[in-house]
Amino acid sequence: MNKLALGIGAILSVVLLGCQVTDSTKLDETQWRYATDPHGSQAILNGSLVTTERVEIAFKRVPRVDKLNNSWVELIYDLPNKQLPEQASITLTYQSDKDMVIKLSQKDYGGEGDKTYAHYQTVLPAASTWTTQTVTLNDFQRPSWTPASSIDKGIITNHVSALYFVPDLTDAKGGEAYIKIQSVSVK
């Protein structure tokens, strides 16, 4: 090998060592949607909900209307197989200006079940820069406000069809928040 080839090889080695190789999975826009209550809460989009780089949305949540009518906002990721793997782990790269609740949308607690919507959930901290967190099913619990009438059936993975990403805004005050998601991996 000549000196020129060795020199170019050394330069390429230095350049490549400085690069970060990432596995960039394209976000499938058909798996993402959002929902808000009928009481005045809003989803605010700056263009499309899903781009090749990220999912991005802002919300304005109104305070709870009364005892029977609560407000809510949700960014929803429909699981490709409409169920979680048995020992699921969820890895998420996100930004959120408020703590972010991840809810497991399980039919036993939703509209097809007891209608309490007391889904298993966990909370990730607010992050102003891209942050990657991994959670497992052991990190999820039912909310403290779960009514006694809601029988805890545990997490039944083949009954979980979606993940809900919800800014941690209070019922009493509502508020504004944004969520950006760069990648989500469920294994």
Side-chain angles (χ1 to χ4, degrees):
M1 200 179 266
N2 66 33
K3 288 182 181 180
L4 180 60
L6 285 172
I8 292 173
I11 291 170
L12 283 174
S13 294
V14 170
V15 170
L16 290 174
L17 285 173
C19 292
Q20 181 179 357
V21 179
T22 59
D23 179 19
S24 178
T25 306
K26 184 179 179 213
L27 296 166
D28 183 347
E29 66 182 288
T30 65
Q31 294 174 300
W32 293 92
R33 57 193 168 93
Y34 59 88
T36 60
D37 62 69
H39 307 298
S41 295
Q42 300 174 340
I44 302 159
L45 299 171
N46 186 13
S48 185
L49 174 64
V50 182
T51 67
T52 54
E53 293 87 30
R54 67 178 161 259
V55 177
E56 184 173 346
I57 193 166
F59 291 109
K60 285 186 182 178
R61 180 181 172 195
V62 299
R64 182 181 193 111
V65 177
D66 57 42
K67 188 175 182 177
L68 298 176
N69 295 288
N70 200 6
S71 61
W72 43 268
V73 294
E74 303 163 333
L75 173 61
I76 303 167
Y77 172 67
D78 291 312
L79 295 165
N81 297 327
K82 302 294 182 204
Q83 65 182 35
L84 281 175
E86 279 298 317
Q87 297 298 318
S89 69
I90 301 163
T91 301
L92 185 71
T93 302
Y94 72 98
Q95 290 182 23
S96 179
D97 64 337
K98 305 285 189 283
D99 288 351
M100 184 173 59
V101 181
I102 302 175
K103 297 181 181 185
L104 304 178
S105 178
Q106 183 172 323
K107 68 181 180 180
D108 305 281
Y109 311 119
E112 295 178 40
D114 67 14
K115 297 178 179 48
T116 63
Y117 300 95
H119 297 294
Y120 274 81
Q121 62 185 36
T122 191
V123 180
L124 296 181
S128 59
T129 60
W130 290 114
T131 302
T132 301
Q133 296 273 349
T134 299
V135 294
T136 66
L137 297 183
N138 292 333
D139 297 312
F140 288 81
Q141 299 175 9
R142 296 197 70 202
S144 60
W145 52 261
T146 301
S149 63
S150 181
I151 297 168
D152 189 351
K153 297 181 179 189
I155 298 172
I156 303 172
T157 56
N158 62 351
H159 290 189
V160 177
S161 61
L163 303 177
Y164 289 12
F165 302 101
V166 180
D168 197 8
L169 301 169
T170 66
D171 292 351
K173 294 183 179 180
E176 297 182 18
Y178 72 82
I179 295 174
K180 299 177 186 179
I181 296 178
Q182 194 172 60
S183 66
V184 61
S185 172
V186 179
K187 296 180 181 175

